[in-house]
Coordinates of all heavy atoms in Angstrom, one line a residue:
M954 N -11.9 8.9 6.3 CA -12.0 7.7 5.5 C -11.3 8.1 4.1 O -11.6 9.1 3.5 CB -13.4 7.3 5.2 CG -13.5 6.1 4.3 SD -15.3 5.6 4.0 CE -15.4 4.3 5.1
A955 N -10.4 7.2 3.7 CA -9.6 7.4 2.5 C -10.5 7.0 1.3 O -11.2 6.0 1.4 CB -8.3 6.7 2.5
I956 N -10.4 7.7 0.2 CA -11.0 7.4 -1.1 C -10.0 6.6 -1.9 O -8.9 7.1 -2.1 CB -11.5 8.6 -1.8 CG1 -12.6 9.3 -1.0 CG2 -12.0 8.2 -3.2 CD1 -13.1 10.6 -1.5
L957 N -10.3 5.4 -2.3 CA -9.3 4.6 -3.0 C -9.3 4.9 -4.5 O -10.4 4.9 -5.2 CB -9.6 3.1 -2.8 CG -9.7 2.6 -1.4 CD1 -10.0 1.1 -1.4 CD2 -8.5 3.0 -0.6
P958 N -8.2 5.2 -5.1 CA -8.1 5.5 -6.5 C -8.5 4.3 -7.4 O -8.3 3.1 -6.9 CB -6.6 5.9 -6.8 CG -6.0 5.9 -5.4 CD -6.9 5.3 -4.4
D959 N -9.0 4.5 -8.6 CA -9.4 3.5 -9.4 C -8.3 2.4 -9.7 O -8.6 1.2 -9.8 CB -10.0 4.0 -10.8 CG -11.3 4.7 -10.6 OD1 -12.0 4.5 -9.6 OD2 -11.6 5.6 -11.5
D960 N -7.1 2.9 -10.0 CA -6.0 2.0 -10.2 C -5.8 1.0 -9.1 O -5.5 -0.2 -9.3 CB -4.7 2.7 -10.6 CG -4.2 3.5 -9.5 OD1 -4.8 4.5 -9.1 OD2 -3.1 3.2 -8.9
L961 N -5.9 1.5 -7.9 CA -5.7 0.7 -6.7 C -6.9 -0.3 -6.6 O -6.6 -1.5 -6.2 CB -5.7 1.6 -5.4 CG -5.5 0.8 -4.1 CD1 -4.3 -0.1 -4.1 CD2 -5.4 1.9 -3.0
L962 N -8.1 0.1 -6.8 CA -9.2 -0.9 -6.8 C -9.0 -2.0 -7.8 O -9.2 -3.2 -7.5 CB -10.5 -0.1 -7.1 CG -11.0 0.9 -6.0 CD1 -12.2 1.7 -6.5 CD2 -11.3 0.2 -4.7
R963 N -8.5 -1.7 -9.0 CA -8.2 -2.7 -10.0 C -7.1 -3.7 -9.5 O -7.2 -4.9 -9.7 CB -7.8 -2.1 -11.3 CG -9.0 -1.5 -12.1 CD -8.6 -1.1 -13.5 NE -7.5 -0.1 -13.6 CZ -7.6 1.2 -13.5 NH1 -8.8 1.7 -13.4 NH2 -6.6 2.0 -13.6
W964 N -6.1 -3.1 -8.9 CA -5.0 -3.9 -8.4 C -5.5 -4.8 -7.3 O -5.1 -6.0 -7.3 CB -3.9 -3.0 -7.8 CG -2.6 -3.7 -7.6 CD1 -1.5 -3.9 -8.4 CD2 -2.2 -4.5 -6.4 NE1 -0.6 -4.6 -7.9 CE2 -1.0 -5.0 -6.6 CE3 -2.9 -4.7 -5.2 CZ2 -0.3 -5.8 -5.7 CZ3 -2.2 -5.5 -4.2 CH2 -1.0 -6.1 -4.5
L965 N -6.3 -4.3 -6.4 CA -6.8 -5.2 -5.3 C -7.6 -6.4 -5.9 O -7.5 -7.5 -5.5 CB -7.7 -4.4 -4.4 CG -7.0 -3.3 -3.5 CD1 -8.0 -2.5 -2.8 CD2 -5.9 -4.0 -2.6
D966 N -8.5 -6.0 -6.9 CA -9.3 -7.1 -7.5 C -8.5 -8.1 -8.2 O -8.8 -9.3 -8.2 CB -10.3 -6.5 -8.5 CG -11.4 -5.7 -7.8 OD1 -11.7 -6.0 -6.6 OD2 -12.1 -4.9 -8.5
A967 N -7.3 -7.7 -8.8 CA -6.5 -8.6 -9.5 C -5.6 -9.5 -8.6 O -5.2 -10.6 -9.0 CB -5.6 -7.8 -10.5
H968 N -5.3 -9.0 -7.4 CA -4.3 -9.7 -6.5 C -4.9 -10.3 -5.3 O -4.2 -11.0 -4.6 CB -3.2 -8.7 -6.1 CG -2.4 -8.3 -7.3 ND1 -2.7 -7.3 -8.2 CD2 -1.2 -8.9 -7.8 CE1 -1.8 -7.3 -9.1 NE2 -0.9 -8.2 -8.9
F969 N -6.2 -10.1 -5.0 CA -6.9 -10.7 -3.9 C -8.1 -11.5 -4.4 O -8.7 -11.1 -5.4 CB -7.3 -9.7 -2.9 CG -6.2 -9.0 -2.1 CD1 -5.6 -7.9 -2.5 CD2 -5.8 -9.6 -0.9 CE1 -4.6 -7.3 -1.7 CE2 -4.8 -9.0 -0.1 CZ -4.2 -7.8 -0.5
G970 N -8.5 -12.5 -3.7 CA -9.7 -13.2 -4.0 C -10.9 -12.2 -3.7 O -10.7 -11.2 -3.1
V971 N -12.1 -12.6 -4.2 CA -13.3 -11.7 -4.1 C -13.5 -11.3 -2.6 O -13.7 -10.1 -2.3 CB -14.5 -12.4 -4.6 CG1 -15.8 -11.6 -4.4 CG2 -14.4 -12.7 -6.1
T972 N -13.6 -12.2 -1.7 CA -13.8 -11.9 -0.3 C -12.7 -11.1 0.3 O -12.9 -10.1 1.0 CB -14.0 -13.2 0.5 OG1 -15.1 -13.9 0.0 CG2 -14.3 -12.9 2.0
E973 N -11.5 -11.5 0.0 CA -10.3 -10.8 0.5 C -10.2 -9.4 -0.1 O -9.7 -8.4 0.6 CB -9.0 -11.5 0.3 CG -8.9 -12.7 1.2 CD -7.5 -13.4 1.1 OE1 -6.9 -13.3 0.0 OE2 -7.1 -14.0 2.1
A974 N -10.5 -9.2 -1.4 CA -10.5 -7.9 -2.0 C -11.4 -6.9 -1.3 O -11.0 -5.7 -1.0 CB -10.8 -7.9 -3.5
H975 N -12.6 -7.4 -0.9 CA -13.5 -6.5 -0.1 C -12.9 -6.1 1.2 O -12.9 -5.0 1.6 CB -14.8 -7.3 0.1 CG -15.9 -6.5 0.8 ND1 -16.5 -5.4 0.2 CD2 -16.3 -6.6 2.1 CE1 -17.3 -4.9 1.1 NE2 -17.2 -5.6 2.3
A976 N -12.3 -7.1 1.9 CA -11.6 -6.8 3.2 C -10.5 -5.9 3.0 O -10.3 -5.0 3.9 CB -11.2 -8.1 3.8
A977 N -9.7 -6.1 2.0 CA -8.6 -5.2 1.7 C -9.0 -3.8 1.5 O -8.4 -2.8 2.0 CB -7.8 -5.7 0.5
R978 N -10.1 -3.6 0.7 CA -10.7 -2.2 0.5 C -11.0 -1.6 1.8 O -10.7 -0.4 2.0 CB -11.9 -2.3 -0.4 CG -11.6 -2.5 -1.8 CD -12.9 -2.3 -2.7 NE -12.8 -3.0 -3.9 CZ -13.2 -4.2 -4.1 NH1 -14.0 -4.8 -3.2 NH2 -13.0 -4.8 -5.2
R979 N -11.7 -2.3 2.7 CA -12.1 -1.8 4.0 C -10.9 -1.4 4.8 O -10.9 -0.3 5.4 CB -13.0 -2.8 4.8 CG -14.3 -3.0 4.2 CD -15.2 -1.9 4.5 NE -16.4 -2.0 3.7 CZ -16.9 -1.0 3.0 NH1 -16.4 0.1 3.0 NH2 -18.0 -1.2 2.3
L980 N -9.9 -2.2 4.8 CA -8.6 -1.9 5.6 C -8.0 -0.6 5.0 O -7.7 0.3 5.8 CB -7.6 -3.0 5.4 CG -7.7 -4.2 6.3 CD1 -6.8 -5.3 5.8 CD2 -7.4 -3.8 7.7
L981 N -7.9 -0.5 3.7 CA -7.3 0.7 3.1 C -8.2 2.0 3.3 O -7.6 3.1 3.5 CB -7.0 0.5 1.7 CG -5.9 -0.6 1.4 CD1 -5.7 -0.9 0.0 CD2 -4.5 -0.1 2.0
E982 N -9.5 1.8 3.2 CA -10.3 3.0 3.4 C -10.2 3.6 4.9 O -10.4 4.7 5.0 CB -11.8 2.6 3.2 CG -12.1 2.4 1.8 CD -13.5 1.7 1.5 OE1 -14.1 1.2 2.5 OE2 -14.0 1.8 0.4
Q983 N -9.9 2.7 5.8 CA -9.7 3.1 7.2 C -8.3 3.5 7.6 O -8.0 3.9 8.7 CB -10.2 2.0 8.1 CG -11.7 1.6 7.9 CD -12.6 2.8 8.1 OE1 -12.5 3.5 9.0 NE2 -13.6 2.8 7.2
A984 N -7.4 3.3 6.7 CA -5.9 3.5 6.9 C -5.6 5.0 7.3 O -6.1 5.9 6.6 CB -5.1 3.1 5.7
V985 N -4.9 5.2 8.3 CA -4.4 6.5 8.8 C -2.9 6.5 8.9 O -2.3 5.5 9.2 CB -5.1 7.0 10.1 CG1 -6.6 7.1 9.8 CG2 -4.8 6.0 11.2
D986 N -2.4 7.7 8.9 CA -0.9 7.9 9.1 C -0.6 8.2 10.5 O -1.5 8.1 11.4 CB -0.4 9.0 8.1 CG -0.9 10.3 8.4 OD1 -1.4 10.6 9.5 OD2 -0.7 11.2 7.5
H987 N 0.7 8.5 10.8 CA 1.1 8.7 12.2 C 0.5 10.0 12.8 O 0.5 10.1 14.0 CB 2.6 8.8 12.2 CG 3.2 10.0 11.4 ND1 3.2 10.0 10.1 CD2 3.6 11.2 11.8 CE1 3.7 11.2 9.7 NE2 4.0 11.9 10.7
N988 N -0.1 10.8 12.0 CA -0.9 12.0 12.5 C -2.4 11.7 12.6 O -3.1 12.7 12.8 CB -0.6 13.2 11.6 CG 0.8 13.7 11.7 OD1 1.4 13.8 12.8 ND2 1.4 14.0 10.6
D989 N -2.8 10.5 12.5 CA -4.2 10.1 12.5 C -5.0 10.7 11.4 O -6.2 10.9 11.5 CB -4.8 10.3 13.9 CG -6.0 9.4 14.2 OD1 -6.0 8.3 13.7 OD2 -6.9 9.9 14.8
K990 N -4.4 11.0 10.3 CA -5.0 11.6 9.1 C -5.2 10.5 8.1 O -4.3 9.6 8.0 CB -4.2 12.7 8.5 CG -4.1 13.9 9.5 CD -3.9 15.2 8.7 CE -3.6 16.3 9.7 NZ -4.6 16.8 10.5
P991 N -6.2 10.5 7.2 CA -6.4 9.5 6.2 C -5.1 9.4 5.3 O -4.6 10.4 4.9 CB -7.6 9.9 5.4 CG -8.4 10.8 6.4 CD -7.3 11.5 7.2
A992 N -4.7 8.1 5.1 CA -3.6 7.9 4.2 C -3.9 8.3 2.8 O -5.0 8.1 2.3 CB -3.2 6.4 4.3
G993 N -2.9 9.0 2.2 CA -3.0 9.4 0.8 C -2.8 8.3 -0.2 O -2.4 7.2 0.2
P994 N -3.1 8.6 -1.5 CA -3.0 7.6 -2.5 C -1.6 6.8 -2.6 O -1.6 5.6 -2.7 CB -3.2 8.3 -3.8 CG -4.1 9.5 -3.4 CD -3.6 9.9 -2.0
R995 N -0.5 7.6 -2.4 CA 0.8 6.9 -2.5 C 0.9 5.9 -1.4 O 1.4 4.7 -1.6 CB 1.9 7.9 -2.4 CG 3.3 7.2 -2.5 CD 4.4 8.2 -2.3 NE 5.7 7.6 -2.5 CZ 6.8 8.2 -2.1 NH1 6.8 9.3 -1.5 NH2 8.0 7.5 -2.3
L996 N 0.6 6.2 -0.2 CA 0.7 5.3 0.9 C -0.2 4.1 0.8 O 0.1 3.0 1.1 CB 0.5 6.0 2.3 CG 1.5 7.1 2.6 CD1 1.2 7.8 3.9 CD2 3.0 6.5 2.6
L997 N -1.4 4.4 0.3 CA -2.4 3.3 0.1 C -1.8 2.3 -1.0 O -1.9 1.1 -0.8 CB -3.7 3.8 -0.3 CG -4.4 4.7 0.7 CD1 -5.7 5.3 0.1 CD2 -4.8 3.9 2.0
R998 N -1.3 2.8 -2.0 CA -0.7 2.0 -3.1 C 0.5 1.2 -2.5 O 0.6 0.0 -2.8 CB -0.3 2.8 -4.3 CG -1.4 3.4 -5.1 CD -0.9 4.2 -6.3 NE -1.9 4.8 -7.0 CZ -2.1 6.1 -7.1 NH1 -1.2 7.0 -6.5 NH2 -3.1 6.7 -7.7
C999 N 1.3 1.9 -1.8 CA 2.5 1.2 -1.2 C 2.1 0.1 -0.3 O 2.7 -1.0 -0.3 CB 3.4 2.2 -0.4 SG 4.3 3.3 -1.5
A1000 N 1.1 0.3 0.6 CA 0.6 -0.8 1.5 C 0.1 -2.0 0.7 O 0.4 -3.1 0.9 CB -0.4 -0.2 2.4
A1001 N -0.7 -1.7 -0.4 CA -1.3 -2.8 -1.2 C -0.2 -3.5 -1.9 O -0.1 -4.8 -1.8 CB -2.3 -2.2 -2.2
V1002 N 0.7 -2.8 -2.7 CA 1.7 -3.5 -3.4 C 2.7 -4.2 -2.5 O 3.1 -5.3 -2.8 CB 2.4 -2.5 -4.3 CG1 3.6 -3.1 -5.0 CG2 1.5 -2.0 -5.4
G1003 N 3.0 -3.6 -1.4 CA 3.9 -4.2 -0.4 C 3.4 -5.5 0.2 O 4.1 -6.3 0.6
S1004 N 2.1 -5.6 0.2 CA 1.4 -6.8 0.8 C 1.6 -8.0 -0.1 O 1.4 -9.1 0.3 CB 0.0 -6.5 1.1 OG -0.8 -6.6 -0.1
R1005 N 1.8 -7.8 -1.4 CA 1.9 -8.8 -2.4 C 0.7 -9.7 -2.5 O 0.8 -10.9 -2.7 CB 3.2 -9.7 -2.1 CG 4.5 -9.0 -1.9 CD 5.2 -8.5 -3.1 NE 6.5 -8.0 -2.9 CZ 6.8 -6.7 -2.5 NH1 5.9 -5.9 -2.3 NH2 8.1 -6.3 -2.5
G1006 N -0.5 -9.1 -2.2 CA -1.7 -9.8 -2.3 C -2.0 -10.7 -1.1 O -2.9 -11.5 -1.1
N1007 N -1.3 -10.4 0.1 CA -1.6 -11.2 1.3 C -2.3 -10.3 2.3 O -1.8 -9.3 2.7 CB -0.2 -11.7 1.8 CG -0.3 -12.5 3.1 OD1 -0.7 -11.9 4.1 ND2 0.0 -13.7 3.0
L1008 N -3.5 -10.7 2.7 CA -4.3 -9.9 3.6 C -3.7 -9.7 4.9 O -3.8 -8.6 5.5 CB -5.7 -10.5 3.7 CG -6.8 -9.7 4.4 CD1 -7.0 -8.4 3.6 CD2 -8.1 -10.4 4.5
E1009 N -3.0 -10.7 5.5 CA -2.3 -10.5 6.8 C -1.2 -9.5 6.7 O -1.0 -8.6 7.6 CB -1.9 -11.8 7.3 CG -3.0 -12.7 7.8 CD -3.9 -12.1 8.8 OE1 -3.4 -11.5 9.8 OE2 -5.1 -12.2 8.6
E1010 N -0.5 -9.5 5.6 CA 0.6 -8.6 5.4 C 0.0 -7.2 5.2 O 0.6 -6.2 5.7 CB 1.5 -9.0 4.2 CG 2.7 -8.1 4.0 CD 3.7 -8.1 5.1 OE1 3.7 -9.0 5.9 OE2 4.5 -7.1 5.2
L1011 N -1.1 -7.0 4.5 CA -1.7 -5.8 4.3 C -2.1 -5.2 5.7 O -1.9 -4.0 5.9 CB -2.9 -5.9 3.4 CG -3.7 -4.6 3.1 CD1 -2.8 -3.5 2.5 CD2 -4.9 -4.8 2.3
K1012 N -2.7 -6.0 6.5 CA -3.1 -5.6 7.9 C -1.9 -5.0 8.6 O -1.9 -4.0 9.2 CB -3.7 -6.7 8.7 CG -5.1 -7.1 8.3 CD -5.6 -8.3 9.1 CE -6.9 -8.8 8.5 NZ -7.3 -10.0 9.2
S1013 N -0.7 -5.7 8.5 CA 0.5 -5.3 9.2 C 1.0 -3.9 8.6 O 1.4 -3.1 9.4 CB 1.6 -6.3 9.0 OG 1.3 -7.5 9.6
L1014 N 0.9 -3.8 7.3 CA 1.4 -2.5 6.7 C 0.5 -1.4 7.0 O 0.9 -0.2 7.2 CB 1.6 -2.7 5.2 CG 2.7 -3.6 4.8 CD1 2.7 -3.9 3.3 CD2 4.1 -2.9 5.1
V1015 N -0.8 -1.6 7.1 CA -1.8 -0.6 7.5 C -1.5 -0.2 8.9 O -1.5 1.0 9.3 CB -3.2 -1.0 7.3 CG1 -4.2 -0.1 8.0 CG2 -3.5 -1.1 5.8
E1016 N -1.2 -1.1 9.8 CA -0.8 -0.7 11.2 C 0.5 0.0 11.2 O 0.7 1.0 12.0 CB -0.7 -2.0 12.0 CG -2.1 -2.6 12.4 CD -2.9 -1.6 13.2 OE1 -2.5 -1.0 14.2 OE2 -4.1 -1.5 12.8
L1017 N 1.5 -0.4 10.4 CA 2.8 0.3 10.3 C 2.6 1.7 9.8 O 3.4 2.6 10.3 CB 3.7 -0.5 9.4 CG 5.2 -0.1 9.3 CD1 5.8 -0.1 10.7 CD2 5.9 -1.0 8.4
L1018 N 1.6 2.0 9.0 CA 1.4 3.4 8.6 C 1.2 4.3 9.8 O 1.6 5.5 9.7 CB 0.1 3.5 7.7 CG 0.3 3.2 6.3 CD1 -1.1 3.1 5.6 CD2 1.2 4.1 5.6
K1019 N 0.7 3.8 10.9 CA 0.4 4.6 12.1 C 1.7 4.9 12.8 O 1.8 5.9 13.6 CB -0.5 3.9 13.0 CG -1.9 3.6 12.4 CD -2.7 2.8 13.4 CE -4.0 2.4 12.8 NZ -4.8 1.5 13.7
I1020 N 2.8 4.2 12.5 CA 4.0 4.3 13.2 C 5.1 5.0 12.4 O 5.7 6.0 12.8 CB 4.5 2.9 13.7 CG1 3.5 2.2 14.6 CG2 5.9 3.0 14.3 CD1 3.8 0.8 14.8
D1021 N 5.3 4.5 11.2 CA 6.3 5.1 10.3 C 6.0 4.8 8.8 O 6.3 3.7 8.4 CB 7.7 4.6 10.7 CG 8.8 5.4 10.0 OD1 8.6 6.1 9.0 OD2 10.0 5.3 10.5
Y1022 N 5.4 5.7 8.2 CA 5.0 5.5 6.8 C 6.2 5.2 5.9 O 6.0 4.6 4.8 CB 4.2 6.8 6.3 CG 5.1 8.0 6.1 CD1 5.7 8.2 4.9 CD2 5.3 8.9 7.1 CE1 6.5 9.3 4.7 CE2 6.1 10.0 7.0 CZ 6.8 10.2 5.8 OH 7.6 11.3 5.6
R1023 N 7.4 5.6 6.2 CA 8.5 5.4 5.4 C 8.8 3.9 5.2 O 9.2 3.5 4.1 CB 9.8 6.1 5.9 CG 9.6 7.6 5.9 CD 10.7 8.3 6.7 NE 10.7 7.9 8.1 CZ 11.5 8.3 9.0 NH1 12.4 9.2 8.7 NH2 11.4 7.9 10.3
D1024 N 8.5 3.1 6.2 CA 8.7 1.7 6.1 C 7.7 1.1 5.1 O 8.0 0.1 4.4 CB 8.6 1.0 7.4 CG 9.7 1.3 8.3 OD1 10.8 1.5 7.8 OD2 9.5 1.3 9.6
V1025 N 6.5 1.7 5.0 CA 5.5 1.2 4.1 C 5.9 1.6 2.6 O 5.7 0.8 1.7 CB 4.1 1.8 4.5 CG1 3.1 1.3 3.4 CG2 3.7 1.3 5.9
I1026 N 6.5 2.8 2.5 CA 7.0 3.1 1.2 C 8.1 2.2 0.7 O 8.1 1.7 -0.4 CB 7.5 4.6 1.2 CG1 6.3 5.6 1.3 CG2 8.3 4.9 -0.1 CD1 6.7 7.0 1.5
M1027 N 9.0 1.8 1.6 CA 10.0 0.9 1.3 C 9.4 -0.5 0.8 O 9.9 -1.1 -0.1 CB 10.9 0.6 2.5 CG 11.8 1.8 2.8 SD 13.0 2.2 1.5 CE 14.1 0.8 1.5
A1028 N 8.4 -0.9 1.5 CA 7.8 -2.2 1.2 C 7.1 -2.2 -0.2 O 7.2 -3.1 -0.9 CB 6.7 -2.6 2.2
G1029 N 6.6 -1.0 -0.6 CA 5.8 -0.9 -1.9 C 6.7 -0.5 -3.0 O 6.4 -1.0 -4.2
E1030 N 7.7 0.3 -2.8 CA 8.4 0.9 -3.9 C 9.8 0.3 -4.1 O 10.4 0.5 -5.2 CB 8.5 2.4 -3.8 CG 7.2 3.1 -3.9 CD 7.3 4.6 -3.9 OE1 8.4 5.1 -3.7 OE2 6.3 5.2 -4.2
Y1031 N 10.4 -0.3 -3.1 CA 11.8 -0.7 -3.2 C 12.0 -2.2 -3.0 O 11.1 -2.9 -2.5 CB 12.5 0.0 -2.0 CG 12.7 1.4 -2.2 CD1 11.7 2.3 -1.9 CD2 13.9 2.0 -2.7 CE1 11.8 3.7 -2.1 CE2 14.0 3.4 -2.9 CZ 13.0 4.2 -2.6 OH 13.1 5.6 -2.8
E1032 N 13.1 -2.7 -3.4 CA 13.6 -4.1 -3.2 C 15.0 -4.0 -2.8 O 15.8 -3.2 -3.3 CB 13.4 -4.8 -4.5 CG 13.8 -6.3 -4.5 CD 13.6 -7.0 -5.8 OE1 12.4 -7.1 -6.2 OE2 14.6 -7.3 -6.5
M1033 N 15.4 -4.9 -1.9 CA 16.8 -4.9 -1.5 C 17.6 -5.8 -2.5 O 17.2 -6.9 -2.8 CB 17.0 -5.5 -0.1 CG 16.3 -4.7 1.0 SD 17.0 -3.0 1.1 CE 18.6 -3.4 1.9
R1034 N 18.7 -5.2 -3.0 CA 19.6 -5.9 -4.0 C 21.0 -5.7 -3.5 O 21.4 -4.5 -3.4 CB 19.4 -5.4 -5.4 CG 18.0 -5.7 -5.9 CD 17.9 -5.4 -7.4 NE 16.6 -5.7 -7.9 CZ 16.1 -5.2 -9.0 NH1 16.9 -4.5 -9.8 NH2 14.9 -5.6 -9.4
R1035 N 21.7 -6.8 -3.2 CA 23.1 -6.7 -2.7 C 23.2 -5.8 -1.5 O 24.1 -5.0 -1.3 CB 24.0 -6.2 -3.8 CG 24.2 -7.2 -4.9 CD 25.3 -6.8 -5.9 NE 25.0 -7.3 -7.2 CZ 25.1 -6.6 -8.3 NH1 25.6 -5.4 -8.3 NH2 24.8 -7.2 -9.4
G1036 N 22.1 -5.9 -0.6 CA 22.1 -5.1 0.6 C 21.8 -3.7 0.5 O 21.9 -2.9 1.4
Q1037 N 21.4 -3.2 -0.7 CA 21.0 -1.8 -1.0 C 19.6 -1.7 -1.5 O 19.2 -2.6 -2.3 CB 22.0 -1.2 -2.0 CG 23.4 -1.2 -1.6 CD 23.6 -0.2 -0.5 OE1 23.1 0.8 -0.4 NE2 24.4 -0.6 0.5
P1038 N 18.9 -0.7 -1.0 CA 17.5 -0.6 -1.5 C 17.5 0.0 -3.0 O 18.3 0.9 -3.2 CB 16.9 0.4 -0.6 CG 18.0 1.2 0.1 CD 19.2 0.2 0.0
V1039 N 16.8 -0.6 -3.8 CA 16.6 -0.2 -5.2 C 15.2 0.2 -5.5 O 14.3 -0.7 -5.3 CB 17.1 -1.2 -6.2 CG1 16.9 -0.8 -7.6 CG2 18.6 -1.6 -5.9
R1040 N 14.9 1.4 -5.9 CA 13.5 1.8 -6.2 C 13.1 1.2 -7.5 O 13.7 1.4 -8.6 CB 13.5 3.3 -6.3 CG 12.0 3.8 -6.3 CD 11.9 5.3 -6.2 NE 10.6 5.7 -5.9 CZ 10.2 7.0 -6.0 NH1 11.1 7.9 -6.3 NH2 9.0 7.3 -5.8
L1041 N 12.0 0.4 -7.5 CA 11.5 -0.3 -8.6 C 10.3 0.4 -9.2 O 10.0 0.3 -10.4 CB 11.0 -1.7 -8.2 CG 12.1 -2.6 -7.7 CD1 11.5 -4.0 -7.3 CD2 13.2 -2.8 -8.6
R1042 N 9.6 1.2 -8.4 CA 8.3 1.8 -8.9 C 8.1 3.1 -8.1 O 8.6 3.3 -7.0 CB 7.1 0.9 -8.8 CG 6.8 0.4 -7.4 CD 5.8 -0.7 -7.3 NE 6.3 -1.9 -7.8 CZ 7.0 -2.8 -7.2 NH1 7.3 -2.6 -5.9 NH2 7.3 -4.0 -7.7
D1043 N 7.4 4.1 -8.7 CA 7.0 5.3 -8.1 C 5.5 5.3 -7.9 O 4.7 5.5 -8.9 CB 7.4 6.5 -9.0 CG 7.0 7.8 -8.4 OD1 6.4 7.9 -7.3 OD2 7.3 8.9 -9.1
L1044 N 5.0 5.0 -6.7 CA 3.6 4.9 -6.5 C 2.9 6.2 -6.2 O 1.8 6.2 -5.7 CB 3.4 3.8 -5.4 CG 3.8 2.4 -5.8 CD1 3.7 1.4 -4.7 CD2 3.0 2.0 -7.0
N1045 N 3.6 7.3 -6.5 CA 2.9 8.6 -6.5 C 2.0 8.6 -7.8 O 1.1 9.3 -7.9 CB 3.9 9.8 -6.7 CG 4.6 10.1 -5.4 OD1 3.9 10.4 -4.4 ND2 5.9 10.1 -5.3
E1046 N 2.5 7.8 -8.7 CA 1.7 7.6 -10.0 C 0.8 6.4 -9.9 O 1.1 5.5 -9.1 CB 2.7 7.4 -11.1 CG 3.7 8.5 -11.3 CD 3.0 9.8 -11.7 OE1 2.0 9.8 -12.4 OE2 3.5 10.9 -11.3
P1047 N -0.2 6.3 -10.7 CA -1.1 5.2 -10.7 C -0.3 3.9 -11.0 O 0.7 3.9 -11.7 CB -2.1 5.5 -11.8 CG -2.1 7.0 -11.9 CD -0.7 7.4 -11.6
I1048 N -0.8 2.8 -10.5 CA -0.2 1.5 -10.7 C -0.5 1.1 -12.2 O -1.6 1.1 -12.6 CB -0.8 0.4 -9.8 CG1 -0.6 0.8 -8.3 CG2 -0.2 -1.0 -10.1 CD1 -1.4 0.0 -7.3
A1049 N 0.6 0.8 -12.8 CA 0.5 0.4 -14.2 C -0.3 -0.9 -14.4 O -0.1 -1.8 -13.6 CB 1.9 0.2 -14.9
D1050 N -1.1 -1.0 -15.4 CA -1.9 -2.3 -15.6 C -1.0 -3.4 -16.2 O -0.1 -3.2 -16.8 CB -3.0 -2.0 -16.6 CG -4.1 -1.1 -16.0 OD1 -4.3 -1.2 -14.7 OD2 -4.8 -0.4 -16.7

């Protein structure tokens, strides 16, 4: 079971409704990578931010962690501009308030 960092908990509360924030926490606490190991803080942040506050998208990204975590990093840290990925944030670091 993953332990969710405080910055991520604040982000979930700010971007999901009360009921959905609770469900989002549960999803992320159970998230595992392709080696069936608990997902680390960066991957958890990427899944959350990549979901854009949509619970169904979060479910998809948590499932994607089991297949290829790099796609989850792309969803959370990058945006496509003119057909090229541009890194917008470094989620190795806590999410800025």
Side-chain angles (χ1 to χ4, degrees):
M954 180 181 259
I956 296 173
L957 306 183
D959 290 338
D960 64 293
L961 179 54
L962 292 171
R963 285 190 302 274
W964 193 94
L965 294 173
D966 288 341
H968 292 85
F969 287 92
V971 175
T972 303
E973 286 189 336
H975 181 72
R978 279 189 208 100
R979 290 283 169 230
L980 278 170
L981 292 173
E982 287 170 346
Q983 302 300 320
V985 294
D986 65 16
H987 63 286
N988 291 318
D989 204 33
K990 299 209 187 284
R995 180 186 187 194
L996 296 179
L997 297 172
R998 288 181 186 113
C999 286
V1002 171
S1004 78
R1005 313 278 189 275
N1007 180 293
L1008 192 58
E1009 290 305 313
E1010 184 63 21
L1011 181 61
K1012 289 177 186 176
S1013 295
L1014 289 168
V1015 167
E1016 286 300 311
L1017 189 56
L1018 279 172
K1019 298 175 187 176
I1020 300 165
D1021 193 340
Y1022 69 91
R1023 295 172 296 183
D1024 290 332
V1025 179
I1026 291 172
M1027 289 297 294
E1030 293 187 353
Y1031 291 79
E1032 181 178 291
M1033 295 301 286
R1034 294 186 182 166
R1035 295 188 206 139
Q1037 297 293 319
V1039 176
R1040 190 173 193 191
L1041 301 178
R1042 59 192 68 85
D1043 178 1
L1044 294 174
N1045 282 302
E1046 300 297 326
I1048 301 169
D1050 290 331

